[in-house]
Amino acid sequence: MTTSLENPDVPATNKRFVPLENNPEVMSSLLHQLGMSKSIGFHDVYSIDDPELLAFVPRPAYALLLVFPVNERYEKFRSQEDFGKPEYNGSGPEEEVMWFKQTIGNACGLIGLLHGASNGPIKKFIEHGSDLERLLQEATPLNPIQRADLLYESRALESAHQIAAQKGDTAAPSAADYVELHYVCFVKSSDNNLWEMDGRRIGPLKLGHLGPEEDVLSEKALTLSVRSFLKREEQAGGGEIRFSLVALGQSFD
């Protein structure tokens, strides 16, 4: 499989899912159905600068999902940053982060969720014998192309996603619809490195090193991730930037 820098979207003939609503309850429901402990869930992040609003998010935050509309500026930056780099081919238990290539249409929310659930200390909350545990065990020795095939053929994953996609505050769109929103996940590895995980890229991107006590919502992590994205968009003359954030951490219940 080769990666097209000009058009990284999955082929029109590939399987497509009904898009997930950008809603913490919907994403938490899918995560729990797959086998994550209900003590873990997604939470809205209403500000990256206001300490009082950030205080509402349970810490540590194990993963951060940035949701934004794909535009020409982003695609140009993505293409330039990926150009000339070898396609990621990591696998095995020594791999610092587990990365999934997206080959299912409208599944970027699912891929982002899997990236958040399969990297760093969050893995200790996966229930024994669950679909998620089995999926990650099977995925560990595989290279990215084989992993993509594993996700593509997983009936448990497709069934759980289908159920979750029917939930939410708005009517679910059709699987055939084009959805402009894209999900990028930021995780902290066991080696204390911050990674950008995006199934439309050529692999995971290491953004920098964090201290042992710094999570993905720490000042340094936000500067390396979300603030860097917003600054790039602003400098490119993007005007008003539409985006949202959800963090993965301890549930309130």
Side-chain angles (χ1 to χ4, degrees):
M1 181 188 300
T2 60
T3 298
S4 168
L5 293 178
E6 298 304 319
N7 182 13
D9 293 314
V10 299
T13 54
N14 278 27
K15 178 165 62 178
R16 302 180 67 82
F17 284 175
V18 174
L20 285 179
E21 181 174 286
N22 178 22
N23 180 319
E25 292 182 2
V26 171
M27 289 186 281
S28 294
S29 173
L30 174 54
L31 199 59
H32 298 154
Q33 190 167 348
L34 288 172
M36 182 65 72
S37 167
K38 290 187 177 180
S39 67
I40 297 294
F42 284 99
H43 307 274
D44 280 315
V45 179
Y46 294 109
S47 173
I48 58 173
D49 299 307
D50 187 329
E52 292 186 1
L53 291 177
L54 273 172
F56 285 105
V57 183
R59 308 291 284 272
Y62 297 107
L64 188 63
L65 279 176
L66 171 65
V67 188
F68 61 94
V70 172
N71 54 40
E72 291 184 6
R73 293 185 306 277
Y74 174 76
E75 292 292 65
K76 180 179 179 181
F77 170 80
R78 176 200 55 75
S79 180
Q80 291 175 341
E81 191 171 50
D82 285 352
F83 183 76
K85 294 181 180 178
E87 191 162 356
Y88 182 73
N89 198 39
S91 64
E94 301 305 316
E95 189 181 23
E96 185 174 345
V97 289
M98 181 178 289
W99 179 76
F100 297 99
K101 182 177 181 65
Q102 181 180 343
T103 59
I104 303 170
N106 288 336
C108 59
L110 171 65
I111 299 298
L113 181 150
L114 288 176
H115 280 144
S118 58
N119 288 290
I122 192 72
K123 291 186 290 184
K124 66 186 178 184
F125 296 101
I126 298 174
E127 295 179 345
H128 180 64
S130 66
D131 290 331
L132 184 57
E133 182 187 58
R134 285 190 291 271
L135 184 73
L136 298 186
Q137 287 174 344
E138 293 177 23
T140 296
L142 304 180
N143 64 41
I145 295 176
Q146 295 168 327
R147 283 179 187 166
D149 290 340
L150 176 69
L151 300 190
Y152 196 94
E153 300 297 336
S154 173
R155 293 185 178 180
L157 199 62
E158 184 169 0
S159 175
H161 188 280
Q162 185 176 21
I163 292 172
Q166 301 305 317
K167 300 181 179 181
D169 299 326
T170 58
S174 165
D177 289 348
Y178 171 76
V179 178
E180 66 171 3
L181 289 181
H182 185 54
Y183 293 68
V184 172
C185 185
F186 300 100
V187 299
K188 180 184 179 182
S189 71
S190 56
D191 290 344
N192 292 329
N193 290 314
L194 180 68
W195 290 82
E196 178 180 330
M197 313 290 283
D198 182 349
R200 295 176 74 244
R201 303 293 293 262
I202 60 172
L205 300 174
K206 185 187 292 187
L207 301 181
H209 190 75
L210 300 177
E213 302 304 318
E214 292 177 307
D215 65 3
V216 295
L217 279 179
S218 66
E219 278 294 307
K220 184 174 182 180
L222 288 172
T223 297
L224 291 170
S225 58
V226 182
R227 292 189 183 120
S228 176
F229 167 81
L230 296 176
K231 182 179 180 180
R232 185 175 69 242
E233 288 289 300
E234 182 179 354
Q235 290 176 340
E240 183 180 1
I241 303 169
R242 294 188 294 127
F243 75 98
S244 62
L245 289 170
V246 289
L248 186 60
Q250 292 285 339
S251 298
F252 289 127
D253 296 335

